[in-house]
């Protein structure tokens, strides 16, 4: 698996760098549009990486767009990826914890109580 990943980086390294930079630009632009601070920057890099990997996987499975079509779309992908992740993590602490809680909640392992559910319990 590591050899396959190295082969992909060797053959499409420039594409990955350019696509990631476009996605990162979109992520930062979303924060600026919402008048929120861009810092900490490592969170923006993480969101850009997650958004990039999800969009490339989706492209590989469904749409099969080529690199010239993906370059202009990369800032839009980053812009909406940041918005989606912020919506998912809205009342949660941290990116990883929020997504993990969401998956565990959907699978039924934990029950995250909202205001309406707390009132019913008392």
């Amino acid at each position: 698996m590591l050899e396959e990943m190295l082969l992909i980086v060797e053959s499409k390294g420039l594409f990955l760098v350019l696509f990631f930079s476009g996605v990162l630009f979109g992520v930062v632009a979303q924060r600026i549009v919402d008048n929120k601070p861009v810092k900490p920057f490592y969170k923006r890099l993480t969101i850009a990486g997650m958004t990039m990997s999800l969009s490339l996987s989706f492209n590989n499975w469904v749409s099969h767009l080529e690199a010239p079509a993906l370059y202009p779309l990369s800032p839009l992908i980053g812009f909406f990826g940041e918005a989606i992740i912020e919506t998912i993590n809205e009342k949660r602490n941290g990116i990883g914890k929020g997504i993990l809680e969401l998956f565990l909640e959907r699978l039924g392992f934990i029950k995250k109580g909202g205001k309406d559910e707390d009132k019913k319990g008392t």
Side-chain angles (χ1 to χ4, degrees):
M1 182 170 176
L2 183 61
E3 294 170 359
E4 293 172 355
M5 289 173 55
L6 288 174
L7 183 63
I8 291 171
V9 169
E10 286 178 12
S11 64
K12 298 183 180 187
L14 181 62
F15 165 73
L16 292 175
V17 168
L18 291 174
F19 189 75
F20 180 77
S21 63
V23 171
L24 182 62
F25 177 76
V27 167
V28 171
Q30 171 63 28
R31 296 299 287 190
I32 292 170
V33 166
D34 286 344
N35 288 328
K36 294 182 180 177
V38 176
K39 293 181 181 180
F41 205 65
Y42 67 89
K43 286 186 180 179
R44 306 291 82 81
L45 289 172
T46 304
I47 290 172
M50 289 176 12
T51 304
M52 182 182 90
S53 64
L54 289 172
S55 63
L56 289 177
S57 297
F58 181 76
N59 180 49
N60 190 25
W61 292 331
V62 178
S63 61
H64 304 292
L65 295 174
E66 295 295 322
L70 285 175
Y71 287 136
L73 292 177
S74 62
L76 288 174
I77 292 169
F79 189 85
F80 290 112
E82 167 72 18
I84 290 169
I85 290 177
E86 283 297 317
T87 301
I88 289 172
N89 289 329
E90 194 174 289
K91 299 183 182 175
R92 300 176 191 271
N93 297 327
I95 294 169
K97 184 178 178 186
I99 292 173
L100 179 64
E101 282 181 357
L102 182 69
F103 286 137
L104 291 174
E105 213 176 305
R106 296 288 182 226
L107 294 173
F109 290 111
I110 63 171
K111 187 172 186 179
K112 185 93 170 162
K115 292 181 180 177
D116 294 335
E117 292 174 5
D118 290 339
K119 290 178 183 175
K120 291 178 185 176
T122 55

